[in-house]
Amino acid sequence: MATTRRSLPLLRTLIAGKTQTRTVTYMPRPGDGAPRPVTLVPGDGIGPLVTNAVEQVMEVMHAPVYFEKYDVHGDMKRVPQEVLDSIKKNKVCLKGGLRTPMGGGVSSLNMQLRKELDLYASLVNCCNLPGLPTRHENVDIVVIRENTEGEYSGLEHEVVPGVVESLKVITKFCSERIAKYAFEYAYLNNRKKVTAVHKANIMKLADGLFLESCREVATKYPSIKYNEIIVDNCCMQLVSKPEQFDVMVTPNLYGNLVANTAAGIAGGTGVMPGGNVGAEYAVFEQGASAGNVGKEKIVEQKTANPVALLLSSAMMLRHLQFPSFADRLESAVKRVISEGQYRTKDLGGQSSTQEVVDAVIAKLD
């Protein structure tokens, strides 16, 4: 009995020591704590709801950012020049979804932004969140997609009435730089494997060039395993054994399909963060949209899920070198999801957007 009494204080000390550890993040340069301007584009549909959620959380956290807000909508012919100038000045943008008209020859503002700013890499992080039930466990996939060419090149014309020719453009330059970005991401984030997704068995020249570029880059990263998979088999493997994938690098169209599939497997588009990045600029947004921008009922009832954009804004804070703020925000969001009391309808709950935001704010350390 005496031995037991003596061991209790020691046990408490050990437990306290485990829970009160301190970690060093990074050594900032003098002046790095100055607030940074960020261009904010609320966008269409649920966009204003979820971007407002980010604004509220940032204000409560006293995060060192301030927003320059611009009204942009998907039915505009072009992204206003003042918006482009703001992003070029600030280097960083946070945006909600922009509606893309179906057919009719109207170009997508999302594509205009990516091409104008040369945001050649799209990154979507699809992973299980603790406490959120999904069909598969141990999913932690990063989809890195080439963002400027391929089927999205926008080179279409009507040859004769009833016959449309659409050109897919693949270049060695763009294929190499997206492969380099994928391997660099894997290397810096302690990822073990990069998988190239392709259809080179049919598109032997176009996708063949993409594969050749990936193989060349892979030789420069011997510590990272490299493999390849045909896109149709990839989709089948994603829905059956998604845990086998780590980092995936893809041409433009395949990446869109793969990212949304992986997002659905890991909990839905409402919780997957993402962003678009180039050598100079970065635009952060919901990682996988899958058409939820235009769901008017969600907008009217104010039940849009803000989790994806909140996690994207945490990615943005890390990009701006404010890691402790990013950690606080991510931890609060994950605690709300884990406890399960406040969830929007897409996650099986009945909460409004504001109720989820209030819950996240209450969990901020």
Side-chain angles (χ1 to χ4, degrees):
M1 183 68 73
T3 305
T4 305
R5 281 199 299 270
R6 284 198 300 270
S7 64
L8 281 174
L10 178 61
L11 184 61
R12 291 194 189 100
T13 303
L14 288 170
I15 293 170
K18 284 184 179 179
T19 57
Q20 293 177 4
T21 56
R22 291 184 178 180
T23 57
V24 176
T25 50
Y26 75 110
M27 181 183 288
R29 295 166 300 183
D32 270 1
R36 310 288 175 83
V38 173
T39 305
L40 178 64
V41 177
D44 298 312
I46 67 167
L49 271 174
V50 292
T51 53
N52 178 254
V54 173
E55 287 183 276
Q56 290 182 60
V57 174
M58 292 289 182
E59 185 177 352
V60 173
M61 281 203 305
H62 302 290
V65 297
Y66 60 93
F67 293 110
E68 296 177 0
K69 192 183 295 188
Y70 291 91
D71 201 23
V72 182
H73 299 286
D75 56 3
M76 293 179 172
K77 290 186 178 179
R78 287 200 57 80
V79 178
Q81 188 60 45
E82 60 178 351
V83 178
L84 293 172
D85 291 342
S86 174
I87 298 173
K88 288 176 181 179
K89 172 177 69 74
N90 298 333
K91 309 291 186 185
V92 176
C93 173
L94 182 72
K95 68 179 280 288
L98 290 170
R99 281 197 186 93
T100 300
M102 301 294 175
V106 181
S107 63
S108 161
L109 294 195
N110 292 311
M111 284 302 303
Q112 283 183 30
L113 264 179
R114 292 167 195 167
K115 289 186 177 181
E116 182 76 26
L117 302 172
D118 197 24
L119 305 171
Y120 66 84
S122 167
L123 186 149
V124 183
N125 188 5
C126 303
C127 61
N128 293 126
L129 292 175
L132 186 63
T134 57
R135 293 191 178 187
H136 296 278
E137 296 179 354
N138 303 317
V139 178
D140 188 3
I141 302 169
V142 174
V143 182
I144 294 174
R145 158 192 173 195
E146 203 292 318
N147 223 6
T148 60
E149 57 176 20
E151 290 86 351
Y152 285 53
S153 300
L155 300 173
E156 294 184 313
H157 63 277
E158 190 172 42
V159 184
V160 294
V163 179
V164 171
E165 188 174 57
S166 181
L167 301 180
K168 170 177 177 172
V169 176
I170 296 286
T171 64
K172 187 172 182 62
F173 173 78
C174 289
S175 299
E176 276 188 351
R177 71 176 181 174
I178 195 65
K180 285 177 183 174
Y181 184 80
F183 277 93
E184 189 174 78
Y185 175 90
Y187 175 67
L188 293 175
N189 287 276
N190 195 30
R191 296 278 183 159
K192 307 303 181 187
K193 181 170 69 172
V194 171
T195 301
V197 182
H198 67 95
K199 191 67 178 170
N201 57 325
I202 302 298
M203 299 181 187
K204 298 183 185 298
L205 291 179
D207 285 24
L209 178 58
F210 176 79
L211 274 189
E212 286 171 18
S213 302
C214 291
R215 288 168 185 167
E216 284 178 23
V217 173
T219 61
K220 299 172 184 175
Y221 293 85
S223 63
I224 298 170
K225 184 180 177 183
Y226 170 70
N227 67 342
E228 301 165 356
I229 189 167
I230 297 173
V231 64
D232 41 359
N233 183 32
C234 173
C235 293
M236 189 271 286
Q237 295 291 335
L238 268 174
V239 298
S240 56
K241 293 188 293 182
E243 64 277 0
Q244 69 184 286
F245 296 108
D246 191 357
V247 175
M248 306 176 80
V249 59
T250 77
N252 208 332
L253 178 61
Y254 309 154
N256 197 2
L257 306 176
V258 167
N260 278 276
T261 303
I265 289 163
T269 58
V271 295
M272 300 303 152
N276 305 281
V277 69
E280 293 187 68
Y281 314 111
V283 175
F284 295 88
E285 58 188 327
Q286 188 167 319
S289 60
N292 62 2
V293 172
K295 292 184 178 177
E296 298 296 339
K297 191 174 180 181
I298 294 176
V299 178
E300 291 168 9
Q301 296 176 347
K302 297 185 177 179
T303 56
N305 192 343
V307 168
L309 201 66
L310 286 170
L311 293 176
S312 296
S313 65
M315 288 173 60
M316 179 189 77
L317 287 169
R318 222 168 256 121
H319 177 79
L320 289 168
Q321 295 188 329
F322 298 128
S324 62
F325 287 92
D327 292 344
R328 284 176 63 198
L329 177 51
E330 274 188 2
S331 296
V333 170
K334 288 177 180 178
R335 283 171 66 188
V336 170
I337 293 292
S338 178
E339 291 177 7
Q341 186 177 356
Y342 296 99
R343 291 180 182 174
T344 48
K345 193 172 182 180
D346 59 311
L347 301 183
Q350 296 296 325
S351 302
S352 66
T353 305
Q354 191 58 50
E355 286 172 338
V356 175
V357 172
D358 292 340
V360 169
I361 289 171
K363 296 295 182 186
L364 288 170
D365 290 329

